[in-house]
Amino acid sequence: MNVKTICLAILHEGDATGYEIRKLSTEGEYAYFVEASFGSIYPALARLEEEGLVRSHVQQQAGRPAKKIYSITDAGRAAFRDSLFEDLGDDVYRSAFLLFARFAPELPADLVETRLRERLAKQDDAIRKLKDLQEEHQSPQDRWVISYGISCIQVARDYLAAHMHELIALAQPVAEAEAAE
Amino acid sequence: MNVKTICLAILHEGDATGYEIRKLSTEGEYAYFVEASFGSIYPALARLEEEGLVRSHVQQQAGRPAKKIYSITDAGRAAFRDSLFEDLGDDVYRSAFLLFARFAPELPADLVETRLRERLAKQDDAIRKLKDLQEEHQSPQDRWVISYGISCIQVARDYLAAHMHELIALAQPVAEAEAAE
DNA sequence: CACCCCCTATATCGCTTCGATATATGCTCG
DNA sequence: CGAGCATATATCGAAGCGATATAGGGGGTG
């Protein structure tokens, strides 16, 4: 799943600028399972245009910078659909949090507790955002994917809430006086 | 969470070769939340040695290629612990499967069903492997992290089993005769 | 028993991608 | 009225991925 495919997927659903593609892949309904940065989107769009899979036209705007609006071509639509027939790669999951958790016994209990609470707050926030997103999107395939995401984050959150004290208990105890310093 | 940090984390728990580090980050207890390939591990280890954070010695072996065994130094141990005090980056989750699911309405129902069943089998396999891993590891921090993983994959698997027919129903119906062709 | 593939083991190369930065302007809020 | 944020494009250096090269031993199959 490279950035070119992500761009085609988003353009398949409607025209967009590079800026908008990045927003959708960072905040929109694609945010939690794909992502791409400017540094990869702009070169990807340029290459897609060379290959004839997308087309662009510049739209001047009063005040604001000019937009370069990209549209998918028939060839692009075909290429994207073909790519959906290919074997799916494995999901990627990387978590600095779990590495941190793995080394809890090396760390002071108050730090471990702080990070766990931060994590819990982040997950609550993510769930809230996904629920908002679900209300904005009526298409059943969007709802299906977003529900999947909510289920996963919810169970991770609940596991954390139920088992955080176990991890804190493994960490280095901090004396009251030391903690107050 | 860069590859250098992953190498230090693994060497923190014991000496290892580049090959073993890669195995641990691909099949071992780190596998499902960190990952690194040869192309990043070997350069990372070389740079860590330059920086004095790890040390290596070559061990000749009868028949097999010589091993280059890396050990963490006191400086490396300190640098790794310091990195655990830094703010944690967000988790990364990328899923070609969810992109595929999002576009189910564009695809033939039999393909969607095939991919869903493949996915279910993969997740069952992942759960089995994590359960085996959990029996091999007695340290409570390992068990905590692995349990977290099992919970997440289990709920994803159950969601899939419960809702896969919804996605198949959204896909393009395939006529019996056409399917037989 | 030859052949082939897999496992161990190190290492590099090219391409993709990330993260930071540059540039420019308008809008909003304190 | 100035700081900071949103819109918008684009590039650069560094990091990392995936494939490939190299090489010998072990195991299974025709």
Side-chain angles (χ1 to χ4, degrees):
Chain A
M1 213 197 14
N2 54 11
V3 175
K4 272 160 62 172
T5 308
I6 293 168
C7 290
L8 286 179
I10 290 174
L11 293 175
H12 190 274
E13 300 303 286
D15 293 357
T17 65
Y19 186 81
E20 286 164 350
I21 290 172
R22 197 256 176 167
K23 266 201 104 178
L24 278 169
S25 90
T26 313
E27 297 164 40
E29 70 258 38
Y30 298 91
Y32 76 92
F33 66 93
V34 303
E35 217 193 302
S37 61
F38 290 135
S40 49
I41 288 171
Y42 285 115
L45 286 170
R47 254 171 303 135
L48 285 170
E49 192 161 23
E50 275 174 43
E51 295 167 22
L53 305 182
V54 305
R55 206 183 294 125
S56 72
H57 69 274
V58 176
Q59 188 182 300
Q60 295 300 331
Q61 297 187 111
R64 301 225 184 131
K67 275 184 183 180
K68 201 158 162 186
I69 300 170
Y70 287 90
S71 316
I72 197 165
T73 63
D74 289 341
R77 216 171 273 277
F80 175 62
R81 275 195 228 189
D82 285 351
S83 74
L84 291 175
F85 280 81
E86 285 167 25
D87 281 341
L88 301 173
D90 287 331
D91 289 8
V92 173
Y93 179 56
R94 306 285 158 88
S95 174
F97 167 75
L98 287 179
L99 190 69
F100 175 87
R102 172 61 187 64
F103 287 91
E106 307 287 328
L107 295 163
D110 55 348
L111 177 68
V112 172
E113 183 163 359
T114 301
R115 292 286 181 259
L116 286 166
R117 295 203 183 284
E118 283 169 2
R119 173 88 174 176
L120 209 54
K122 260 194 196 176
Q123 285 178 327
D124 283 334
D125 202 51
I127 291 166
R128 216 175 304 119
K129 273 184 188 148
L130 281 180
K131 283 185 176 166
D132 288 348
L133 214 53
Q134 199 168 34
E135 273 169 44
E136 288 167 35
H137 293 269
Q138 290 94 31
S139 83
Q141 65 272 26
D142 274 334
R143 287 174 165 275
W144 194 95
V145 170
I146 295 168
S147 288
Y148 179 104
I150 291 172
S151 301
C152 293
I153 300 179
Q154 186 71 51
V155 84
R157 186 236 170 254
D158 291 345
Y159 181 92
L160 206 61
H163 299 281
M164 59 186 288
H165 57 277
E166 296 168 18
L167 211 59
I168 295 166
L170 292 175
Q172 295 296 318
V174 180
E176 284 300 311
E178 215 181 322
E181 259 183 303
Chain B
M1 213 198 14
N2 53 14
V3 175
K4 271 160 63 171
T5 308
I6 293 168
C7 290
L8 286 179
I10 290 173
L11 293 175
H12 191 274
E13 300 303 287
D15 294 357
T17 65
Y19 185 80
E20 286 164 351
I21 291 172
R22 197 257 178 167
K23 265 202 103 176
L24 277 169
S25 90
T26 313
E27 297 164 39
E29 70 258 40
Y30 298 90
Y32 75 94
F33 65 93
V34 305
E35 216 192 302
S37 61
F38 290 134
S40 48
I41 287 172
Y42 286 115
L45 287 170
R47 254 172 302 135
L48 286 170
E49 192 160 24
E50 275 173 45
E51 293 167 24
L53 304 182
V54 304
R55 205 183 296 124
S56 71
H57 70 272
V58 176
Q59 188 183 301
Q60 295 300 331
Q61 297 185 109
R64 300 223 185 134
K67 273 185 184 180
K68 201 161 165 186
I69 300 170
Y70 286 90
S71 314
I72 196 165
T73 64
D74 289 341
R77 218 170 273 276
F80 175 61
R81 275 195 228 189
D82 285 351
S83 76
L84 291 174
F85 280 81
E86 285 167 25
D87 281 340
L88 302 172
D90 287 330
D91 289 8
V92 173
Y93 180 55
R94 307 285 158 87
S95 175
F97 167 75
L98 287 179
L99 189 70
F100 174 88
R102 171 63 187 63
F103 287 91
E106 306 287 328
L107 294 163
D110 54 349
L111 177 68
V112 173
E113 183 164 358
T114 301
R115 292 286 181 257
L116 286 167
R117 296 204 181 282
E118 283 169 2
R119 173 88 174 175
L120 209 54
K122 260 192 196 178
Q123 285 178 327
D124 283 333
D125 201 49
I127 291 166
R128 218 174 304 120
K129 273 182 190 152
L130 281 180
K131 283 186 177 166
D132 288 347
L133 215 52
Q134 199 168 34
E135 275 169 45
E136 289 166 33
H137 293 268
Q138 290 95 32
S139 84
Q141 65 272 25
D142 273 335
R143 285 175 166 275
W144 194 96
V145 171
I146 294 168
S147 286
Y148 180 104
I150 291 172
S151 301
C152 293
I153 300 179
Q154 186 71 52
V155 83
R157 187 237 172 250
D158 291 345
Y159 181 92
L160 205 62
H163 298 280
M164 60 185 289
H165 57 276
E166 295 169 19
L167 211 58
I168 295 166
L170 292 173
Q172 294 297 318
V174 179
E176 285 299 312
E178 213 179 324
E181 258 184 304

